[in-house]
């Protein structure tokens, strides 16, 4: 490639070589297309991605849709491709509907890394979609199971659990929902499912749904708030109904509001993901792909941190709170 570089330099009107073919990926542009705007999880992810990009000497550009909607996310990806970014780090808004635009980008030589959510069945080694060079996320099924096992324990091992997650096309959330259902099943006959509602990552919807379900089901003893806005709305509804402590809440996600609600005893358990680390790892994987280094493993899990009233003031718990 030294020969190639000198040929390029000798020629006055050359366009810069794509980073994928250069000696180093330094100076490349990596695009982060996150899940939705204004979500502390993705703002924290973007911070981690920017810090990693600065370390690696690449440029990071970021954008995302205002709502979970593949029809809103696809044009953002197309625009990034049109502006010649070198690699894409994407939080797919839908496991199927986002395949086409990302596959097109990949065919044009742009490596694709997914973060938080996944494409196809999520297994890039031998699953239905294998073109992404890496997928970085929490182990969401395990997280949902862990959250609900602890929730059921806090409920005294009996009563009904109500599940709130974002939308059926947010893969991370549906895995948490399924993990929670598994915990309910394993808890035996004293524990049941009161229902599942989808909040569109909107805390007002989550709050209204919770108020409605509490009227229909006075025997609800626990709520699994499967993402930031679901837990936030559930906590608001429980406060309005004056049921703090009587109805336990487990929150998946750790924005400052969830920590405040843990401290004032509205929420009993917070599972913090590590969005900054997910963003940083995804950017590093995209960089390595541009440098043609092997990126492995193709799917990797970033561990979560469990925060309770007992450990909330420890350094580890404090460091896990989302910081945008
Ligand atoms: O829980 C995160 C993320 O993991 C999920 O995919 C969507 O919701 C959040 O962004 C939190 O609002």
């Amino acid at each position: 490639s030294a020969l190639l570089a000198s040929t390029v330099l000798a020629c006055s009107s050359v366009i810069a070589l794509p980073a994928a073919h250069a000696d180093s990926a330094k100076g490349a542009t990596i695009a982060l297309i996150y899940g939705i705007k204004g979500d502390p999880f993705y703002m924290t992810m973007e911070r981690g991605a920017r810090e990693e990009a600065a370390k690696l000497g690449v440029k990071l550009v970021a954008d995302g849709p205002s709502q979970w909607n593949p029809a809103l996310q696809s044009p953002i990806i197309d625009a990034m491709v049109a502006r010649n970014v070198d690699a894409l780090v994407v939080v797919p808004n839908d496991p199927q509907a986002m395949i086409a635009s990302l596959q097109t980008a990949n065919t044009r030589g742009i490596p694709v890394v997914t973060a938080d959510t996944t494409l196809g069945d999520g297994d890039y080694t031998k699953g239905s979609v294998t073109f992404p060079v890496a997928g970085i996320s929490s182990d969401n099924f395990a997280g949902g199971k862990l959250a609900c096992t602890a929730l059921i324990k806090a409920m005294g091992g009996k009563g009904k659990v109500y599940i709130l997650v974002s939308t059926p096309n947010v893969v991370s959330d549906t895995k948490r929902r399924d993990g929670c259902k598994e915990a309910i099943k394993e808890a035996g006959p004293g524990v049941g499912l009161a229902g599942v509602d989808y909040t569109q990552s909107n805390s007002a919807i989550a709050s209204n749904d919770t108020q409605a379900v509490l009227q229909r089901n006075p025997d609800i003893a626990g709520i699994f708030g499967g993402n930031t806005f679901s837990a936030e709305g559930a906590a608001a509804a429980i406060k309005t109904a004056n049921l703090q402590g009587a109805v336990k809440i487990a929150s998946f996600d750790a924005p400052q509001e969830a920590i405040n609600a843990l401290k004032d005893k509205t929420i009993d358990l917070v599972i913090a993901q590590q969005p900054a680390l997910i963003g940083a790892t995804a950017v590093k994987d995209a960089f390595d792909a541009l440098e043609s280094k092997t990126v492995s493993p193709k799917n990797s899990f970033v561990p979560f941190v469990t925060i309770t009233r007992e450990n909330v003031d420890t350094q580890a718990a404090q460091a896990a709170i989302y910081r945008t």
Side-chain angles (χ1 to χ4, degrees):
S1 77
L3 177 64
L4 188 60
S6 60
T7 315
V8 169
L9 284 174
C11 183
S12 59
S13 62
V14 230
I15 306 154
L17 278 174
H21 304 294
D23 284 337
S24 156
K26 275 200 194 327
T29 300
I30 297 178
L32 167 66
I33 295 113
Y34 45 75
I36 49 166
K37 283 198 162 84
D39 179 333
F41 176 88
Y42 295 119
M43 291 156 86
T44 307
M45 177 187 282
E46 184 177 340
R47 177 178 58 76
R50 283 199 188 283
E51 286 170 4
E52 183 67 18
K55 235 189 267 172
L56 295 169
V58 296
K59 186 174 169 206
L60 189 99
V61 291
D63 198 4
S66 52
Q67 290 168 31
W68 277 98
N69 185 342
L72 298 179
Q73 197 183 42
S74 286
I76 296 176
I77 287 164
D78 297 344
M80 290 294 186
V81 172
R83 66 187 269 194
N84 285 324
V85 300
D86 297 295
L88 291 171
V89 171
V90 190
V91 179
N93 268 203
D94 184 281
Q96 300 304 327
M98 292 311 301
I99 295 173
S101 51
L102 291 169
Q103 184 120 48
T104 304
N106 188 251
T107 310
R108 290 175 62 168
I110 302 174
V112 174
V113 175
T114 64
D116 179 44
T117 57
T118 46
L119 287 175
D121 60 13
D123 176 357
Y124 302 152
T125 319
K126 46 185 180 348
S128 56
V129 172
T130 52
F131 69 82
V133 292
I136 322 297
S137 70
S138 300
D139 186 347
N140 288 296
F141 183 88
K145 189 171 175 189
L146 182 141
C148 288
T149 303
L151 178 67
I152 291 164
K153 198 168 162 217
M155 288 157 48
K158 54 182 190 306
K160 289 219 166 112
V161 176
Y162 173 53
I163 301 176
L164 286 168
V165 286
S166 182
T167 81
N169 54 356
V170 181
V171 183
S172 48
D173 279 32
T174 53
K175 285 190 179 148
R176 290 171 209 161
R177 173 200 65 197
D178 295 346
C180 182
K181 282 185 177 173
E182 176 106 336
I184 294 170
K185 216 193 291 163
E186 284 182 8
V191 180
L193 175 67
V196 179
D197 273 323
Y198 297 93
T199 65
Q200 315 300 326
S201 278
N202 178 322
S203 53
I205 295 177
S207 175
N208 288 338
D209 285 352
T210 305
Q211 286 178 42
V213 88
L214 285 170
Q215 309 247 312
R216 292 197 304 271
N217 273 305
D219 53 347
I220 287 177
I223 303 176
F224 175 44
N227 81 337
T228 293
F229 304 100
S230 303
E232 195 176 292
I238 288 301
K239 272 193 177 165
T240 306
N242 245 319
L243 287 170
Q244 289 110 307
V247 176
K248 311 289 182 193
I249 302 177
S251 167
F252 212 93
D253 284 319
Q256 187 60 51
E257 292 71 23
I259 301 302
N260 298 345
L262 177 74
K263 288 196 161 176
D264 78 17
K265 300 195 173 134
T266 312
I267 284 180
D268 291 276
L269 176 83
V270 173
I271 306 281
Q273 303 187 75
Q274 297 194 68
L277 185 57
I278 292 174
T281 309
V283 165
K284 177 69 166 75
D285 282 348
F287 179 86
D288 285 350
L290 286 172
E291 292 215 319
S292 304
K293 283 188 197 146
T294 318
V295 181
S296 70
K298 276 199 156 196
N299 293 87
S300 60
F301 287 143
V302 169
F304 33 72
V305 178
T306 302
I307 308 179
T308 61
R309 274 186 286 282
E310 284 68 53
N311 73 3
V312 65
D313 291 321
T314 62
Q315 222 187 346
Q318 289 293 313
I321 300 170
Y322 298 175
R323 193 164 47 82
T324 56

